[in-house]
Each structure stands twice: as structure tokens, then as C-alpha cells.
Amino acid sequence: GLGSAPYAWMYAVTPTGFSRLSSGFLTPPPPGDIRTFRWSRDDQYIFLGSGSEVFAYKRSGDQWVQVASATVTGTVYSIGVNPTTDRVVVGTTSSPYINDFTYENDTFTATGFDFAYPNRGDQAAFSPSGKYLAIGCTSGAGLRIYSFDGSTYNSTNSFGNIYLGGFGTLPRALHWGEDDKQLFVQQYYSGNAFKYDSATDQWLQM
């Protein structure tokens, strides 16, 4: 959920549907609006952005207890959690726009990697294998994909300012296919899909 902490809800999956947990499942609640959140690969952590901070909450029964935080420049707009490594990427409204952290032993450590991304990091999403990172901005910086070898990011493709119709440019949301070969981009009332072509090493619009 987005908005202030009382409006963040969590549901447990049951055999017959969904069961909503109590509204106070985050301890303590974040200090302001929750703009974005991501799960860890083992479901034991929630990483969420509020104001100029990213927080880590660790599961304790049906509650999640805050165990770490890090401050960034600008407002947190997106979080990408690598599903196979300890990396967490945080997109913000101010330079350097994309912040790379390791998260180990309940501690955020900035790596200082420079993505050279030219505008705010509205969306960030790692592929299922953790080998690719997609970053997008609704203000004209376009969509970029970076490969990740476990320590270093390399820009593999820049889509430029792709217009998808509706309001503005892109993207409002990014979602990867399970095999790392498809990337789905949602923008207000429109959407688009790209597929990786190994013969040309390019991402082609489907």
C-alpha cells in the first residue's frame, strides 16, 4: 500500500483466499508516506521507502520489525532487490538518482557505484536471475538495462524516450518475465513488451 503507515496493509495467503493482518504490522511504522516497497528473496524482509530513507523490516511472526535504515539524497521513488545477491538499488528524485547498496547483517552499505543515470529513478527492477537491472524514469530519461555480474553493472541498452501513449512517457511499472528474456512496461493506460534477441544482443519491441 501507499500513503501513510496506517494505510499500509498486508495479506496472508490462505487455502481459501486472503486474510488481512493487523494494521500495525510494521514496528515502528515509517515516519511518513510509503512510496515503494519490495520483498527480499526469502520473504523474511520488506524494504520500503519513506521520505529520504530506505528501511529494512525483518519478519517476526506476523509482524515486521525495523532493523536497518539508510539515508539518500532526495525522495525515495523506487527500490530494486536482487533476488540472488545482497544488492539493493534505490531510485530517488535527486542526483545521483540511483543508489547502490549491499545489505548484509542488517546493515546498508553504499557501494558508490555511478550509474550515470540522468534523471530521477522512478522505477527499478532486477530480473529473476539477478543478472539484469532495468531502470526507468517518467521525466524523459527513458528506460535502461544494465547487466550485473555480481559486483559491477554495465549498461547494455538504452531505449531512449519511448512514448507509450496516455500521459507522459514511461514507465509507471516494470516487470520481468521468468526467463530474463522479456520485460513488460506499464504506463498509465498503455503498456509495452520487449523481448531479448540473442542473435543481435538487442531488446526488441514485441
Side-chain angles (χ1 to χ4, degrees), residues 150-169:
S151 60
T152 302
Y153 300 89
N154 292 288
S155 182
T156 63
N157 221 305
S158 177
F159 291 83
N161 192 7
I162 303 172
Y163 184 73
L164 298 181
F167 302 97
T169 53

Side-chain angles (χ1 to χ4, degrees), residues 183-203:
L183 179 63
F184 300 92
V185 181
Q186 182 266 328
Q187 186 268 336
Y188 283 102
Y189 306 113
S190 302
N192 220 325
F194 298 90
K195 187 174 183 178
Y196 178 71
D197 179 23
S198 58
T200 62
D201 193 30
Q202 296 290 313
W203 290 84

Side-chain angles (χ1 to χ4, degrees), residues 18-202:
F18 300 91
S19 175
R20 198 179 93 188
L21 305 182
S22 65
S23 60
F25 64 88
L26 295 176
T27 306
D33 289 354
I34 301 171
R35 284 196 169 270
T36 185
F37 61 88
R38 287 288 184 272
W39 290 93
S40 67
R41 60 184 181 271
D42 58 5
D43 290 348
Q44 296 303 303
Y45 288 87
I46 301 173
F47 297 92
L48 60 86
S50 179
S52 61
E53 293 181 277
V54 56
F55 297 91
Y57 284 81
K58 188 175 183 178
R59 183 179 178 182
S60 177
D62 284 340
Q63 300 293 306
W64 274 259
V65 179
Q66 185 186 128
V67 292
S69 65
T71 301
V72 294
T73 303
T75 301
V76 175
Y77 261 53
S78 62
I79 299 173
V81 178
N82 193 297
T84 59
T85 72
D86 59 2
R87 300 303 263 274
V88 176
V89 167
V90 179
T92 72
T93 58
S94 300
S95 180
Y97 301 113
I98 307 297
N99 304 264
D100 184 48
F101 294 91
T102 60
Y103 186 76
E104 294 182 293
N105 300 318
D106 291 337
T107 301
F108 288 101
T109 302
T111 69
F113 184 84
D114 183 9
F115 286 89
Y117 195 73
N119 211 320
R120 71 188 195 194
D122 285 333
Q123 298 293 333
F126 279 99
S127 67
S129 71
K131 294 181 179 179
Y132 296 97
L133 170 67
I135 296 174
C137 175
T138 57
S139 296
L143 173 64
R144 297 186 181 186
I145 291 180
Y146 297 81
S147 64
F148 180 62
D149 62 8
S151 60
T152 302
Y153 300 89
N154 292 288
S155 182
T156 63
N157 221 305
S158 177
F159 291 83
N161 192 7
I162 303 172
Y163 184 73
L164 298 181
F167 302 97
T169 53
L170 69 84
R172 302 303 299 179
L174 301 174
H175 297 283
W176 288 89
E178 293 183 359
D179 59 359
D180 285 9
K181 300 295 178 64
Q182 294 176 324
L183 179 63
F184 300 92
V185 181
Q186 182 266 328
Q187 186 268 336
Y188 283 102
Y189 306 113
S190 302
N192 220 325
F194 298 90
K195 187 174 183 178
Y196 178 71
D197 179 23
S198 58
T200 62
D201 193 30
Q202 296 290 313

